[in-house]
Each structure stands twice: as C-alpha cells, then as structure tokens.
Amino acid sequence: QNRMDEARLHFERALKLGPELTTKHPATSQSGALLADTARTLNNLGNLDRLQNRFDEARQHDEQALDLYRRLAQQNPDVYLPYLAATLNNLGAIDRIQNRMEEARHHDEEAVAIQRQLAQQDPGKYLPNLAMTLNEFALLDEIQNHEDQARQHYDEALSIDRQLAQQSPSTYLHDLAITLSNFGREEALH
C-alpha cells in the first residue's frame, strides 16, 4: 500500500521483540525459528531501505541477515541456502550501487555457487534464480570490463532462460527478453 514509514515502524518493532523474547524465554534465544524470523525481518527492512535509497542502512540490515542465514544454513542447508543466496544477491546489488566492485564480485561469486548447487538439486525450482544471478553477475563483469566473463555468464543465463521459456513461455519469456537485451547491449558496447 506504499505506506513505507508504517512498514519501517513495524519491522523495527519486530526486531526489538527478539531480545525481549529471549530475556523472558531464554530457550528461544537459540531457536532456529527466532533466528529465521529475525533474518527475514532484517531482509525486509533492507528491501525497504533500498526502495527509499537508504543504501548504508540496507547494507547494515543485509549484512546482519547474512550472518544469521550463514548460521542457519550450516544447521539446515536445505531450508536456508536459498535465503543465503538471495541475501548475497541483495548485497551484490548494493555493492554495485555504492561502487564497491570487489565486494560485489565476492558476493556474486558466492551467490552463483549456491544457486548452481540448488539448481542441481531441484532444477525446476532454482534454475530461474540461477539465471537471474548469472545475469546480475554479467552486469558486474560489464562494469569491470571483464568482457569474456560477461559473455560466459550471459551465455549460461541465456541457455537457462531459453530452456525455461520453452517449457513455460508465459512465465519465462520476459526473463529471456531481459537477458537478450542485456547481452545485446554488452555485445554492442564491445
């Protein structure tokens, strides 16, 4: 409903409830559910920060979420690796906006590795995420003038997007068009 300030208040209140819960109920302090809820709230707040161009705050919230998702993924990778990869994608986007290219590369490389692992386990569910992450990584390659790597990442993303668009055109033709457009721009520039 575009009520950003109210959303921020709710997210911030939710984050304050975590320590209150652990004080009143110490057993919840190690609860995976509490950590997951906290990480999800931090991610939501980071997304809101990005929408409001509050990139330093977004970075802080996403870094906190990343720490929690790393812990959760060690305990239960099947559930939390997708969240870890998404948070890495978020940080990579902030890195690019803030011209922190080496950090962006590190976050994108880790996200792609996780997305590949997930796509091998469940292609139907995770191949679209892998294609999107490869597309974002290729954009970073372009910015850093790594033409060969950009082409490799776009080629892989295109292959996935074409496969997905054949299976479900109404769902994936748009993604294919975006990747083709990005790749075409990169080819025209180099």
Side-chain angles (χ1 to χ4, degrees):
Q1 295 180 345
N2 204 28
R3 293 165 38 189
M4 304 296 189
D5 293 335
E6 288 179 52
R8 181 174 301 285
L9 290 173
H10 292 298
F11 290 141
E12 289 172 350
R13 178 68 181 131
L15 288 175
K16 289 178 184 172
L17 287 176
E20 289 176 23
L21 280 172
T22 58
T23 301
K24 292 178 185 175
H25 307 285
T28 63
S29 66
Q30 297 303 313
S31 165
L34 180 59
L35 291 178
D37 288 343
T38 301
R40 206 170 8 261
T41 302
L42 286 163
N43 258 343
N44 288 335
L45 193 51
N47 290 334
L48 179 62
D49 291 330
R50 271 187 295 291
L51 287 172
Q52 294 184 314
N53 296 322
R54 297 168 69 158
F55 300 115
D56 290 335
E57 291 97 332
R59 174 179 300 287
Q60 178 185 4
H61 292 126
D62 284 340
E63 285 175 347
Q64 291 171 338
L66 183 66
D67 289 340
L68 294 177
Y69 281 132
R70 284 190 194 286
R71 289 171 44 194
L72 290 162
Q74 286 177 346
Q75 297 167 8
N76 193 343
D78 292 339
V79 172
Y80 294 109
L81 276 178
Y83 295 102
L84 178 59
T87 304
L88 288 161
N89 282 339
N90 290 344
L91 277 166
I94 293 169
D95 292 333
R96 283 187 291 281
I97 289 167
Q98 293 185 318
N99 201 29
R100 298 166 81 158
M101 298 308 167
E102 288 311 309
E103 289 177 53
R105 181 160 297 282
H106 173 74
H107 289 129
D108 286 350
E109 285 172 349
E110 187 176 357
V112 165
I114 293 169
Q115 295 290 8
R116 281 192 174 119
Q117 176 186 343
L118 292 169
Q120 284 179 344
Q121 295 168 1
D122 190 346
K125 189 173 182 180
Y126 295 112
L127 273 176
N129 296 343
L130 175 57
M132 178 201 65
T133 303
L134 287 163
N135 212 336
E136 290 175 9
F137 201 178
L139 290 171
L140 175 65
D141 291 330
E142 279 185 60
I143 292 167
Q144 292 188 301
N145 294 315
H146 297 157
E147 296 170 34
D148 291 340
Q149 289 175 316
R151 282 188 191 101
Q152 287 175 335
H153 289 130
Y154 280 133
D155 278 340
E156 187 177 354
L158 275 173
S159 174
I160 294 167
D161 284 337
R162 283 185 174 121
Q163 173 188 344
L164 292 170
Q166 275 186 327
Q167 296 169 1
S168 180
S170 62
T171 304
Y172 296 110
L173 273 177
H174 182 259
D175 294 343
L176 176 59
I178 289 171
T179 304
L180 283 166
S181 175
N182 288 344
F183 198 8
R185 182 195 62 247
E186 195 278 331
E187 289 291 313
L189 293 173
H190 298 99

